[in-house]
Amino acid sequence: MADSYFRQTALAPLGLAAKATDAPGEAGVLMSEHPLAEHVNLRGDGASVEFLQVARTTIGYALPTEPNTVTEGTNSRALWLGPHEWLLVAPLGTALVATLGRGLAGRAFAATELGDARAVIGLSGPNARDVLAKSCPLDLNPKSFGPGRCAQTKLSRIAAIIAQRDDAPSYEIYVARSVARYTWRWLEDAGSEYGVAIVAG
Amino acid sequence: MKRREARLDVGGRVNRDRVLNFTWNGKPYKGLEGDTLASALLANGISLVGRSFKYHRPRGIFSAGAEEPNAIVQLETGAYTQPNVKATQVELYEGLEARSVNCWPTVEYDFGAAANLCAKLLPAGFYYKTFMWPSRFWMTYEYFIRRAAGLGRAPKEADPDIYDKAHAHCDVLVVGGGPTGLAAALAAARAGARVVLADEQSEFGGDLLGRRDVMDDAPAVEWVRKVVEELASFSEVRLLPRSTVFGYYDHNYLAIAERRTDHLHPKDGAGTPRQRLWKVRAKQVVLATGSIERPLVFADNDRPGVMLAESARTYLNRYGVKPGRRAVVFTNNDNAYAAAIDLADAGVEIGAIVDLRPDVQGPLPQKARARGLEILAGEAIVATHGRNRVQSVEVMLLSPEGDHVHGTARKIDCDLVCVSGGWSPTVHLFSQSGGKLTYDAGRACFVPGKSKQAERSAGACHGTFGVADCLDEGFAAGLAAAGAAGFTTAGISLIAPAVEQPGEAGLRALPIVPGRAAVGHGKAKHFVDLANDVTAADVRLAAREGYRSVEHTKRYTTLGMGPDQGKTSNVPGLAILAEALGKEIPDVGTTTFRPPYTPVTYGLLAGRDVGEMSDLTRTTPIHEWHAMTGAVFDDAGHWRRPWYYPRAGEDMAAAVRRECRAVRESVGIMDASTLGKIELVGPDAVKVLNQVYANAWDNLAVGRCRYGLMLGEDGMVFDDGVTARLGEHHYLMTTTTGGAARVFGWIDDWLQCEWTNWKVFITSVTEQWATVSIAGPRARDLVRELAAGTDVSAEALPHMAIREAKVAGFPGRVARISFTGELSFELSVPSSYGMALWTACVTAGAKYGLTPFGTEAVHVLRAEKGYIVSGHEFDGTVTPQDLGMGWAVGKTKADFLGRRSLDRSDMKRADRKQLVGLQVQDPNAVLPEGSQVVERVLKAPPMPMIGHVTSSYWSETLKRGIALALVAGGHARMGQTVHIPLEDKVLDAVVVSPVFYDPEGKRLHG
Amino acid sequence: MLLINCPWCGPRDEIEFTCGGEAHIARPADPAALSDQEWAEYLFMRKNLKGLHYERWHHSYGCRQWFNAARDTVTHEIHATYKMGETPPVVAGEDGVVKGGNS
């Protein structure tokens, strides 16, 4: 579709697709850039049972109310960002903003599309946790941080959201679009001692 | 001196099958795998390794560890060179190169040793007293003093190594891998805790590596091996050998320097991090940092061959090196007898054991006596002899009070003097953690008092010296730490190995061992601090001159301020000071222990944040185009913004002139994506705008924009920008590039903390939108083409209007906002379309001569219009009235942030600095920004200044220099001539309106 | 490096936070009614205590919530953190001197 021809992810200039391998071999760290997606910043009264109930009806699953956790529905996921703030992630074309606008109409809320404001870097492999430990003060030990958890934190100098997807471990790192290249280079450099392979996002 | 092979045929932890070649002061030598540089030098019979800091006296290897004050060497050459490394801590590798420091031309024949001849002229504080007058010469003196003193040379080349940092979290951090630490780590690990065990040495075992202890009928090192093996089997245990815990900070945060490849030749360590800084957050900490043997302070106790007794034992047992052929042991305690016995067993002759105590009956002395070693109880060494190495000592009887010696001196030949003055617990980290020390008079040492953090000390650093006691205490501390971290410790099986622990009688603490002459008289020197050449006489002098505080004495005498940070000299120095002041040691107190415990490299502290990674950089979605077309970038708030786009052969001035002409005469294009953007959604959004902006927002229509000034509560302008009303309860605010985060934080703070029930949400959308500004008389022609389907006529889309529109076929917005004073359109699309939009504009604009322009042209163009810019015209000291922008303050608004401050009397002073234009009389002159403005030119500075130039440019439009300035009472000075004194001339300027161009705004509204 | 217990996210490193200075200073309801002196008290004057200090912190790299902390400015011990709008916990006497010490 013509649209995707014109649209660029933050890291498009790095030509990652051409460098991607499907045979990472011994690499301890696998890195990728995720494709564009809908990222909706949802704001509303997280202390209101009524708001949470209507939101649940609208998206088909409950928004997370436990700090730093993720809930998931069939076509989207919701990350806890704050007591009254969530990040909903869905494939392009889901039209989350419109859905939320209809479902939450008449209530105090804001649903803002930020999919273009972000880059999502995938980081996985046996040494993924070591690479994150170099840049981030969170305790990523499986006992305290596992699949289904997310956290906003500081990666080196970068404000980031980290979400763990599986036990590989695989992480998603959400950063502002403008710092994506710096983040990528930082992680690639930090991972170099373990071997880094670029894989498809 | 003839070189002797001092290596034993068997024994120690060295590998005799692996010979390593190294050079020392340019000459080749051989050592063994497992050696330190110090042990390899001793094995080669090298006793003289350096010259002392101040007197350039010959010095030898004094210890076997981190406390080494003498054997400071320069390692490697070129980019890999490292100054001030302790030979006792350098692991030998094939091809190692090292040299002495602080001597010239050679260590044997040192020119600076003349300083020793003038020693009488160099007492404590000599430099301060002598060279401070006349004061302006201090810099000159200092240069020569530092050169003469110099301790190694820093490399001139960039560091070629890679350094790394990592965070670690654990339940129990155990510092020190000796018997205590191993026991503690094992206990905590068995309880299930996440454990980090760090030790500065290449292998775990601590003092056990240098002793011949037997545990469970096997060498103790066998127990060490088993424990380490078991620890390694736990997935949640991290073992960090070659890792120094050098800092203990708030809330159990500790820093560890892990040396990963320092034990390899530089070329073998390439490509992998040389050192890693671990930043550890530990729930509980067990300090098992051991203890450091104290020397005795006696006459000429600094001669090469004088060595700590335990260190001599370590060289023998761990490295298989005899540190001498004939030794005299000089002690005040039982412990040193073990060294004497080990040395004797290895074939080192024992000339005598000289003991300050008159009555010596402990198990170890008895054993030595049974072994046939001569013990001279109640005697003292009063002199040492030998040029570059000790050749003999003289011993005399000590008075019962310990204040003088008497009788006939007996001369004993020896090439090694093993000294022991007792043990000082290594309390550095405990002290850094905030804990206070208490003095244990019996053992003459400081021990940890009450813990301030989640920490416990165990073993020798806790004043517990016997190995069996250390094991018990280690196990207990490890278990307690695990328990405190939330683990069940009941039923954890811990059986300490059977080990012999001979009892020890008390020591005899004597601050200074008397010599033939009184201290400070005669030729002999009683050294306290070998690294900095501080003597007992210096400390006494300080006391006589009125220094009462140990902190002041330290700085005056430089006691404990060398590369070893006084590890062997602090307590002896304190004892001498206390005695001189007639006080008890605890009343004098200790100096503060600060990180790092031992020196760390700058590389370690910098980590990976060097070169292009040294700071965050932010790029716009259009960055690649700018970079490929050769834009020069301007960094603002981490953003890399195009500054100007030079064409072939153009300098900056020419490029900026061309870009300015394009905007004024045809059309230009600028990437405005970096401006901050904040969406406000909700019925109370307008209340927020009314509070944070000085002007009123109630009547802004949907689809229209308004400019506003943001004030701090102090009434000062801190940001400005345009806010658009997108819908009934939906606004889009723009901020300055650098102010985006601050403005968002400012509003968010008020909403969270004061306006808690307002119905509004704010969201930063800076990064969601790519924004392109098209400016110039032909702008509408281009935008009409790009935004086909949207009426962009002056009637349909006037200045300060905004519409949703398809731009270049992409969903976005068109707005009439201008930074330049020209007809301007802002086109915004989601960032992923940014590059496509820009290239579409450039393609379509070619026929109009569309010219990309950068931030410098924007600055010139806005200055022509008198538009203010953050950091130039407003800097936190300027009110709207000062800027002549009273129109941007809502006169009828009851309140807004900063309003009350505008009514303070100081804000109404007529002589506040106010924004004006300056028209320099020489039209070709461009004032330097920051120049001071004066009313009257005096012959020479100082002269009263009335203001300063905030912006100044060559105006290509007006063909003259223009400037904006903040001038006291400026608004009342219109038409006045003021002066701007520069370095080589004085320029005269007329005060004019800050709006130089199109004051009616016809072009803007076109 | 302090370990700060964000009331929402739990203990996090100090580098994720920004300190906002003294807490519990409400903006006057009607600034225009205040004298210059009273306005200056609100705007400029702070206690700058040695010892127990109630102060604002912002979890700027985390959940972006403002909250309050009772911190000892000498020992850096943080006795409690609590959400905006909650009553400050009583930690020590009114003299501001921490009696409890570390535990």
Side-chain angles (χ1 to χ4, degrees):
Chain A
M1 129 190 189
D3 199 46
S4 64
Y5 173 77
F6 290 110
R7 297 187 77 174
Q8 279 193 346
T9 60
L11 296 174
L14 300 186
L16 298 177
K19 296 177 191 163
T21 174
D22 45 16
E26 296 286 289
V29 184
L30 312 182
M31 289 178 66
S32 63
E33 185 191 21
H34 287 206
L36 286 167
E38 291 184 9
H39 290 196
V40 177
N41 182 280
L42 176 64
R43 311 286 294 280
D45 184 355
S48 157
V49 176
E50 200 262 343
F51 173 82
L52 294 171
Q53 186 51 49
V54 176
R56 179 181 192 139
T57 309
T58 305
I59 60 173
Y61 59 98
L63 291 171
T65 49
E66 186 191 338
N68 301 303
T69 60
V70 184
T71 55
E72 191 154 1
T74 47
N75 207 25
S76 71
R77 287 178 288 132
L79 285 69
W80 185 97
L81 298 186
H84 312 293
E85 182 175 12
W86 299 267
L87 171 64
L88 273 59
V89 183
L92 288 182
T94 310
L96 269 178
V97 169
T99 306
L100 290 164
R102 282 191 303 272
L104 296 170
R107 290 174 177 80
F109 82 102
T112 312
E113 175 57 55
L114 290 176
D116 289 73
R118 288 226 178 78
V120 184
I121 295 172
L123 187 77
S124 63
N127 294 110
R129 195 174 279 126
D130 299 316
V131 171
L132 281 183
K134 291 187 183 195
S135 51
C136 150
L138 290 179
D139 184 1
L140 296 166
N141 185 278
K143 283 181 191 163
S144 46
F145 198 90
R149 295 208 71 91
C150 67
Q152 295 163 95
T153 184
K154 202 171 178 184
L155 272 184
S156 179
R157 298 177 167 79
I158 309 148
I161 306 168
I162 298 175
Q164 188 169 343
R165 297 288 283 156
D166 60 36
D167 283 321
S170 301
Y171 298 96
E172 289 172 339
I173 300 166
Y174 298 71
V175 296
R177 184 184 178 101
S178 66
V179 300
R181 265 193 277 199
Y182 181 87
T183 312
W184 180 273
R185 295 227 32 162
W186 209 102
L187 294 170
E188 206 176 28
D189 183 52
S192 58
E193 70 175 289
Y194 312 110
V196 176
I198 297 169
V199 294
Chain B
M1 183 180 298
K2 211 175 108 214
R3 197 185 301 162
R4 305 153 305 165
E5 177 57 54
R7 184 84 64 182
L8 297 169
D9 294 333
V10 291
R13 316 266 314 148
V14 289
N15 179 2
R16 287 179 177 73
D17 295 330
R18 174 112 168 79
V19 175
L20 302 171
N21 296 288
F22 70 102
T23 65
W24 170 248
N25 286 331
K27 289 187 203 150
Y29 294 94
K30 292 184 194 306
L32 296 177
E33 186 179 74
D35 261 331
T36 61
L37 175 59
S39 69
L41 289 170
L42 287 170
N44 282 283
I46 295 170
S47 52
L48 173 59
V49 293
R51 291 273 169 179
S52 72
F53 181 70
K54 191 163 137 190
Y55 303 121
H56 287 247
R57 283 164 73 109
R59 291 285 165 81
I61 294 162
F62 187 70
S63 75
E67 68 271 35
E68 178 61 33
N70 286 342
I72 309 290
V73 305
Q74 182 94 18
L75 204 59
E76 299 303 333
T77 55
Y80 289 101
T81 198
Q82 269 195 91
N84 305 342
V85 182
K86 298 177 182 87
T88 49
Q89 293 193 294
V90 175
E91 289 179 58
L92 198 67
Y93 50 79
E94 176 65 29
L96 180 146
E97 288 181 52
R99 52 183 59 251
S100 305
V101 297
N102 209 21
C103 54
W104 183 84
T106 71
V107 68
E108 287 85 7
Y109 304 98
D110 174 45
F111 185 75
N116 193 30
L117 304 175
C118 330
K120 277 272 175 280
L121 303 175
L122 295 170
F126 166 76
Y127 298 125
Y128 301 119
K129 290 170 188 162
T130 309
F131 294 114
M132 291 314 287
W133 185 90
S135 59
R136 66 200 163 93
F137 284 162
W138 168 246
M139 299 303 279
T140 315
Y141 291 136
E142 194 189 19
Y143 173 77
F144 285 103
I145 292 167
R146 291 218 181 280
R147 234 174 61 151
L151 259 177
R153 295 280 175 268
K156 291 192 171 62
E157 300 85 346
D159 191 334
D161 283 316
I162 302 169
Y163 298 84
D164 194 40
K165 296 183 190 178
H167 296 268
H169 302 260
C170 63
D171 298 308
V172 180
L173 168 65
V174 179
V175 187
T180 311
L182 287 170
L186 190 62
R190 283 186 183 167
R194 292 163 70 189
V195 175
V196 173
L197 172 63
D199 189 273
E200 63 179 353
Q201 304 249 2
S202 59
E203 54 178 327
F204 293 104
D207 285 348
L208 295 179
L209 300 170
R211 293 179 180 175
R212 298 191 295 168
D213 289 318
V214 170
M215 289 185 176
D216 287 343
D217 300 323
V221 288
E222 186 54 26
W223 177 82
V224 171
R225 192 190 58 76
K226 278 193 253 173
V227 172
V228 171
E229 200 174 274
E230 181 177 344
L231 286 171
S233 72
F234 292 99
S235 63
E236 294 273 50
V237 171
R238 191 190 291 274
L239 297 176
L240 293 175
R242 299 189 173 101
S243 299
T244 304
V245 181
F246 67 83
Y248 197 140
Y249 304 93
D250 288 314
H251 298 187
N252 263 23
Y253 193 74
L254 294 95
I256 305 179
E258 183 194 8
R259 292 170 296 277
R260 299 181 70 251
T261 66
D262 282 31
H263 61 294
L264 304 175
H265 190 276
K267 70 174 178 349
D268 296 327
T272 186
R274 176 189 167 208
Q275 298 179 346
R276 179 136 49 214
L277 173 65
W278 289 96
K279 297 181 273 187
V280 183
R281 184 75 74 178
K283 288 202 180 96
Q284 298 287 322
V285 170
V286 175
L287 296 176
T289 49
S291 56
I292 293 171
E293 195 167 18
R294 280 193 302 272
L296 290 168
V297 178
F298 59 100
D300 289 338
N301 54 344
D302 67 326
R303 231 174 272 285
V306 177
M307 184 184 284
L308 292 172
E310 181 73 11
S311 300
R313 197 177 172 201
T314 297
Y315 285 116
L316 194 69
N317 294 325
R318 180 170 177 185
Y319 302 103
V321 174
K322 285 195 280 188
R325 284 180 299 183
R326 192 165 203 275
V328 167
V329 176
F330 187 22
T331 183
N332 68 357
N333 62 74
D334 280 5
N335 193 257
Y337 286 77
I341 294 164
D342 283 3
L343 288 166
D345 286 353
V348 177
E349 276 182 66
I350 303 297
I353 300 172
V354 182
D355 198 321
L356 294 175
R357 301 170 298 177
D359 186 31
V360 183
Q361 299 301 337
L364 281 168
Q366 294 293 18
K367 196 174 166 190
R369 211 169 265 136
R371 182 84 178 57
L373 305 182
E374 185 182 5
I375 299 172
L376 304 175
E379 302 200 26
I381 294 180
V382 296
T384 66
H385 301 288
R387 182 178 151 79
N388 281 343
R389 172 151 196 167
V390 64
Q391 287 170 347
S392 65
V393 297
E394 288 181 67
V395 178
M396 288 170 73
L397 284 167
L398 184 64
S399 69
E401 301 74 27
D403 56 349
H404 68 275
V405 285
H406 56 93
T408 321
R410 173 177 156 192
K411 194 167 179 183
I412 307 172
D413 288 342
C414 62
D415 62 354
L416 177 67
V417 180
C418 299
V419 294
S420 179
W423 292 82
S424 296
T426 308
V427 292
H428 300 63
L429 291 175
F430 170 80
S431 181
Q432 287 179 25
S433 78
K436 292 272 177 293
L437 302 171
T438 56
Y439 189 71
D440 181 327
R443 283 169 294 188
C445 64
F446 285 95
V447 292
K450 191 169 174 287
S451 291
K452 286 285 185 192
Q453 298 204 35
E455 159 277 333
R456 62 207 80 218
S457 294
C461 71
H462 190 231
T464 303
F465 296 117
V467 63
D469 297 342
C470 283
L471 289 169
D472 289 344
E473 218 172 277
F475 280 129
L479 268 194
F487 292 84
T488 312
T489 55
I492 306 291
S493 155
L494 296 163
I495 299 160
V499 58
E500 192 191 347
Q501 180 178 299
E504 291 185 21
L507 55 72
R508 181 181 190 186
L510 207 54
I512 304 172
V513 177
R516 282 205 186 82
V519 169
H521 297 79
K523 278 188 182 167
K525 287 190 183 307
H526 294 65
F527 282 96
V528 183
D529 181 339
L530 293 166
N532 264 0
D533 267 358
V534 180
T535 65
D538 292 332
V539 178
R540 284 189 173 177
L541 176 66
R544 276 206 306 283
E545 291 187 350
Y547 287 87
R548 292 290 176 274
S549 150
V550 62
E551 293 286 0
H552 294 165
T553 303
K554 165 184 164 174
R555 282 156 183 80
Y556 188 58
T557 61
T558 74
L559 175 72
M561 293 171 73
D564 65 335
Q565 287 287 290
K567 289 188 176 59
T568 56
S569 61
N570 276 336
V571 174
L574 270 178
I576 294 166
L577 182 65
E579 189 187 51
L581 295 173
K583 288 183 179 179
E584 295 300 317
I585 287 179
D587 299 332
V588 177
T590 58
T591 55
T592 309
F593 294 96
R594 293 190 181 86
Y597 170 68
T598 48
V600 296
T601 61
Y602 278 110
L604 183 79
L605 301 178
R608 328 194 139 259
D609 298 336
V610 293
E612 63 170 336
M613 303 315 289
S614 61
D615 203 4
L616 190 63
T617 51
R618 301 175 74 182
T619 53
T620 78
I622 309 162
H623 180 79
E624 234 56 39
W625 193 94
H626 307 316
M628 276 161 49
T629 49
V632 176
F633 290 94
D634 166 33
D635 295 342
H638 293 126
W639 284 102
R640 308 216 67 209
R641 299 187 302 179
W643 195 11
Y644 57 97
Y645 299 81
R647 288 186 181 163
E650 268 184 349
D651 61 6
M652 177 175 173
V656 172
R657 285 199 303 269
R658 175 177 52 72
E659 291 172 17
C660 288
R661 277 198 306 274
V663 175
R664 291 280 184 244
E665 292 165 14
S666 54
V667 60
I669 181 169
M670 188 193 68
D671 181 357
S673 306
T674 62
L675 287 179
K677 306 169 200 76
I678 298 166
E679 286 201 16
L680 300 90
V681 174
D684 289 331
V686 70
K687 279 170 75 176
V688 171
L689 297 175
N690 275 327
Q691 277 296 304
V692 300
Y693 280 128
N695 52 348
W697 291 79
D698 300 301
N699 60 358
L700 183 70
V702 173
R704 299 305 297 261
C705 312
R706 182 168 291 164
Y707 174 83
L709 291 176
M710 246 176 235
L711 314 188
E713 276 282 60
D714 57 2
M716 304 301 174
V717 177
F718 79 89
D719 209 89
D720 69 337
V722 168
T723 290
R725 188 171 185 187
L726 300 178
E728 176 66 14
H729 299 313
H730 189 182
Y731 293 82
L732 175 64
M733 172 185 285
T734 58
T735 73
T736 60
T737 296
R742 179 175 173 187
V743 170
F744 185 89
W746 172 245
I747 300 173
D748 198 30
D749 188 349
W750 288 105
L751 286 173
Q752 282 191 40
C753 303
E754 286 272 349
W755 312 329
T756 49
N757 56 359
W758 290 18
K759 295 184 185 64
V760 57
F761 295 107
I762 62 165
T763 308
S764 169
V765 295
T766 303
E767 304 253 2
Q768 174 67 13
W769 299 92
T771 300
V772 164
S773 176
I774 310 251
R778 303 298 302 272
R780 183 172 286 116
D781 296 334
L782 176 56
V783 173
R784 188 174 284 129
E785 217 176 291
L786 289 164
T790 302
D791 185 350
V792 296
S793 66
E795 298 72 35
L797 190 72
H799 180 55
M800 296 299 244
I802 186 166
R803 295 282 176 278
E804 295 218 337
K806 283 234 168 196
V807 286
F810 311 128
R813 298 187 185 116
V814 177
R816 284 281 307 279
I817 293 167
S818 177
F819 313 122
T820 57
E822 288 301 321
L823 170 64
S824 276
F825 293 83
E826 263 189 22
L827 313 180
S828 297
V829 292
S831 291
S832 61
Y833 294 102
M835 184 65 96
L837 170 65
W838 181 273
T839 49
C841 293
V842 169
T843 307
K847 54 186 169 291
Y848 306 108
L850 181 72
T851 302
F853 63 104
T855 53
E856 186 67 13
V858 174
H859 273 286
V860 176
L861 297 167
R862 66 91 196 167
E864 290 172 350
K865 289 289 294 179
Y867 293 164
I868 58 171
V869 164
S870 171
H872 288 254
E873 282 70 39
F874 59 96
D875 57 4
T877 67
V878 179
T879 68
Q881 282 81 6
D882 296 340
L883 293 166
M885 294 172 77
W887 53 266
V889 178
K891 304 288 180 302
T892 56
K893 283 171 74 175
D895 190 20
F896 56 85
L897 299 178
R899 187 190 186 296
R900 176 65 185 80
S901 287
L902 296 179
D903 287 335
R904 293 172 66 227
S905 55
D906 191 65
M907 301 298 193
K908 300 185 166 164
R909 271 176 23 234
D911 65 343
R912 286 185 62 83
K913 282 190 177 182
Q914 294 163 339
L915 184 69
V916 296
L918 291 183
Q919 188 152 317
V920 184
Q921 279 169 354
D922 172 1
N924 291 315
V926 178
L927 294 170
E929 283 180 1
S931 302
Q932 297 295 328
V933 178
V934 303
E935 205 162 19
R936 249 166 9 97
V937 180
L938 306 183
K939 275 197 188 103
M943 46 189 118
M945 298 172 292
I946 57 169
H948 67 278
V949 175
T950 58
S951 293
S952 176
Y953 303 96
W954 170 258
S955 165
E956 181 65 4
T957 315
L958 304 169
K959 304 289 181 205
R960 60 167 300 125
I962 57 165
L964 300 176
L966 285 166
V967 174
H971 294 157
R973 290 183 191 264
M974 290 298 153
Q976 260 184 35
T977 297
V978 293
H979 315 282
I980 299 94
L982 302 177
E983 210 165 348
D984 52 350
K985 61 187 165 199
V986 175
L987 293 175
D988 300 330
V990 179
V991 177
V992 296
S993 154
V995 187
F996 292 92
Y997 182 68
D998 186 27
E1000 305 82 20
K1002 282 183 191 147
R1003 305 179 69 89
L1004 187 71
H1005 289 95
Chain C
M1 177 74 72
L2 307 183
L3 186 65
I4 300 170
N5 189 30
C6 167
W8 301 99
C9 300
R12 297 282 189 98
D13 260 29
E14 187 184 345
I15 55 163
E16 292 187 2
F17 297 85
T18 317
C19 185
E22 188 177 328
H24 305 298
I25 299 172
R27 187 171 194 266
D30 183 8
L34 301 186
S35 67
D36 276 8
Q37 182 59 38
E38 288 164 332
W39 179 247
E41 284 290 329
Y42 157 71
L43 194 55
F44 302 120
M45 302 313 285
R46 296 295 181 267
K47 290 186 187 129
N48 195 26
L49 292 174
K50 179 179 181 182
L52 182 64
H53 190 232
Y54 294 90
E55 58 195 14
R56 293 170 359 114
W57 283 84
H58 186 223
H59 195 185
S60 37
Y61 279 86
C63 63
R64 294 211 313 269
Q65 298 303 297
W66 280 98
F67 61 93
N68 293 317
R71 183 178 67 96
D72 189 301
T73 59
V74 178
T75 65
H76 288 177
E77 185 182 358
I78 297 174
H79 295 276
T81 56
Y82 52 103
K83 293 173 185 172
M84 279 295 154
E86 290 181 350
T87 317
V90 177
V91 177
E94 283 304 298
D95 56 356
V97 176
V98 184
K99 307 267 187 344
N102 235 321
S103 55

